[in-house]
Amino acid sequence: MLAKLFAKLKLIWRVVNRPSVHYSLGFLTLGGFVAGVIFWGGFNTVLEATNQEQFCIGCHEMENNVYQELQSTIHFTNRSGVRATCPDCHVPHNWTDKIARKMQASKEVWGKVFGTINTREKFEAKRRELAEHEWDRLKANDSLECRNCHNFDYMDFTRQSQRAAQMHSTSLASGEKTCIDCHKGIAHQLPDMAGVEGF
Amino acid sequence: MKVSTFLSAIALLGMSLSVVAASVPDDQVATLRKAPLNVEPTPPIMQKVINSDVKQVRNYPMQPPVIPHKIDGYQIDLKVNKCMQCHARNSTGHSQAPMVSVTHFMDRDNNFLAELSPRRYFCTQCHAPQLDAKLQVENDFVDIDHLMKAKSTDKQ
C-alpha cells in the first residue's frame, strides 16, 4: 500500500522534474506568475466590484427599501460631507471575514433571484430576520465596522451632548456594551422590535 | 321683469364694489410669506434644535414638558417607539431619563393599563423639541403663580 503510493509520488516527481521540451524555464516561470496575477487580480476585482454601493443597490429590493431610508440619515448627508456607503458598514475589511460575509450574502442574493423578497411587504416581513443577522454580527465583532470610522480612543466627550457623554463614558468605556447595543436603527428603519433587549 | 333686472344690476354693482373694498393694505395682512405670490423667496436659515439636556420649567402644572434633546431619526410607528428605549419604566436605570408619568398609562376612563396607553403612544403629538429661534409673536402668558401673588398683594 505504502510502497504503491511511494511509486506514484516518484512518477509525479519525475514528470515535474523533467525539463520542459517545448517551453523555456523563463517562459514557464513568467507565464505562471502572470496567470497567477490575472487569476488573483480577477478574483479581487470581482470582489471589489461587488463591494461598491452601486452593486449593492443594483437590485431593487435594496434600492427601494434600505437605500431610500439611508438617505434621510446622518450617514448620507452631514455637515462634514463624509459618507458611509453600504459596504462601509456591512463588509468587514479583514480578508477572511470578507469572504465569509460574501458567502453569507450569496444566500441573500439567492432570495432575490428566486423572487422571495420582491415587494415592500415581503421585505418588511423578512426584515427582523435580516436585521438580527446584522446585530449578531456587529455584536460578535464588537461593532468593528462602526469603529473603522468612529474610534473610541479619539472621542472627545466634552464635545458630545450630555446624554451621549454619559453613556459613552460608562457602559461603552467599560466594554459592557458595544455601539450596536444602543444604536440600532442608525441607518435604516427598524423592524418590529417586540422582545428585543432594551426596547 | 323690469324689477328683477334692476335688482341684479344692483347686486352686480355691489359685488364689484366689494371686490374693490377687499384689497386690504399689505401691512395689515398677517402672513409669514414676506414675498409676492409669484416669487419664490430664499428660505430663512434653518434653526438649530436645542440639545442642551437641561430640563425646562413648565408654565403650568399640566403642560407636557418640552424635549430638551434632539430627536432626529427617532422612529415612532407601529413597529417601534424609540422614545421608550430610554423613557420606559425599566429603562431609566441605564438611560437616566425621567420615566413617563403615570398619566401615560391611563385610558380615558382613568383606568391604569399595564402598558403605555394608546392615546399617549405618539409622543411628539404633545412633546416637542425646541429651536433656538426668536419669537415670531409676543407671548403675554402669565403664570398662575404670578396671578395669585398679584391677587394677594391687591388685597393687602
Side-chain angles (χ1 to χ4, degrees):
Chain A
M1 182 71 189
L2 216 71
K4 233 181 179 175
L5 190 78
F6 192 68
K8 262 211 179 114
L9 280 176
K10 223 165 155 185
L11 184 77
I12 291 173
W13 173 244
R14 226 178 316 135
V15 172
V16 175
N17 205 23
R18 199 172 42 199
S20 164
V21 199
H22 305 289
Y23 305 108
S24 74
L25 179 68
F27 177 83
L28 280 182
T29 332
L30 211 72
F33 182 71
V34 169
V37 166
I38 289 175
F39 175 74
W40 184 243
F43 185 65
N44 266 337
T45 309
V46 171
L47 209 65
E48 216 38 64
T50 61
N51 235 8
Q52 233 121 63
E53 187 162 78
Q54 282 315 316
F55 177 82
C56 308
I57 57 173
C59 61
H60 295 289
E61 92 192 26
M62 292 299 166
E63 191 182 354
N64 297 345
N65 296 299
V66 279
Y67 184 56
Q68 297 304 325
E69 294 163 12
L70 180 69
Q71 291 181 18
S72 61
T73 72
I74 193 153
H75 285 107
F76 196 79
T77 52
N78 53 58
R79 69 208 154 103
S80 25
V82 182
R83 245 217 74 191
T85 60
C86 324
D88 287 334
C89 289
H90 288 294
V91 184
H93 282 211
N94 171 323
W95 200 83
T96 39
D97 288 349
K98 189 165 19 184
I99 296 299
R101 178 71 189 112
K102 288 275 165 188
M103 309 266 263
Q104 217 185 338
S106 312
K107 210 179 80 200
E108 281 146 30
V109 171
W110 183 273
K112 165 68 188 169
V113 171
F114 288 90
T116 50
I117 323 182
N118 53 7
T119 63
R120 176 83 185 168
E121 289 70 30
K122 287 181 191 164
F123 184 78
E124 284 294 340
K126 259 305 213 183
R127 176 171 263 183
R128 174 73 179 261
E129 190 191 326
L130 293 173
E132 262 167 19
H133 288 164
E134 288 306 298
W135 295 330
D136 289 349
R137 180 177 62 82
L138 287 164
K139 181 80 184 153
N141 70 10
D142 196 13
S143 308
L144 180 68
E145 282 72 46
C146 312
R147 290 174 195 265
N148 281 334
C149 290
H150 298 272
N151 194 323
F152 177 76
D153 293 335
Y154 299 100
M155 269 190 187
D156 182 350
F157 293 156
T158 62
R159 282 171 162 272
Q160 289 186 350
S161 68
Q162 227 183 71
R163 267 187 324 153
Q166 198 259 331
M167 293 284 209
H168 293 160
S169 59
T170 53
S171 309
L172 178 62
S174 68
E176 183 193 324
K177 291 213 169 134
T178 183
C179 317
I180 199 64
D181 287 326
C182 301
H183 290 293
K184 292 191 176 70
I186 191 77
H188 320 290
Q189 282 177 21
L190 287 168
D192 191 330
M193 299 295 278
V196 175
E197 202 199 324
F199 279 87
Chain B
M1 175 66 201
K2 276 263 177 62
V3 180
S4 66
T5 322
F6 182 66
L7 278 181
S8 47
I10 288 187
L12 216 71
L13 198 75
M15 252 147 77
S16 52
L17 270 180
S18 72
V19 167
V20 174
S23 63
V24 179
D26 274 352
D27 58 326
Q28 282 179 23
V29 180
T31 175
L32 293 176
R33 189 190 176 91
K34 298 282 190 288
L37 270 180
N38 57 348
V39 174
E40 190 69 55
T42 14
I45 294 169
M46 289 235 278
Q47 302 286 348
K48 267 221 177 96
V49 171
I50 297 177
N51 192 26
S52 63
D53 289 323
V54 177
K55 291 186 200 168
Q56 297 300 306
V57 175
R58 300 182 206 182
N59 292 315
Y60 49 96
M62 286 308 290
Q63 183 205 330
V66 299
I67 308 175
H69 54 71
K70 63 185 168 79
I71 58 166
D72 296 353
Y74 286 178
Q75 190 176 341
I76 310 176
D77 58 19
L78 284 176
K79 291 181 282 179
V80 56
N81 186 327
K82 169 81 181 176
C83 311
M84 294 305 275
Q85 191 187 5
C86 297
H87 288 282
R89 179 177 58 84
N90 43 19
S91 300
T92 53
H94 73 81
S95 71
Q96 290 299 303
M99 178 192 134
V100 292
S101 63
V102 289
T103 55
H104 295 65
F105 295 86
M106 282 153 84
D107 68 10
R108 63 178 178 185
D109 301 319
N110 287 356
N111 297 318
F112 287 101
L113 309 176
E115 280 190 318
L116 204 60
S117 173
R119 61 183 189 152
R120 291 273 166 116
Y121 188 84
F122 293 102
C123 318
T124 45
Q125 209 179 310
C126 304
H127 298 281
Q130 302 295 301
L131 298 178
D132 191 12
K134 81 171 202 295
L135 294 177
Q136 292 277 16
V137 285
E138 198 63 34
N139 183 354
D140 53 10
F141 175 82
V142 182
D143 193 330
I144 186 78
D145 287 348
H146 288 101
L147 280 180
M148 290 197 304
K149 221 176 262 162
K151 221 172 177 183
S152 56
T153 45
D154 276 357
K155 273 191 194 140
Q156 281 159 13

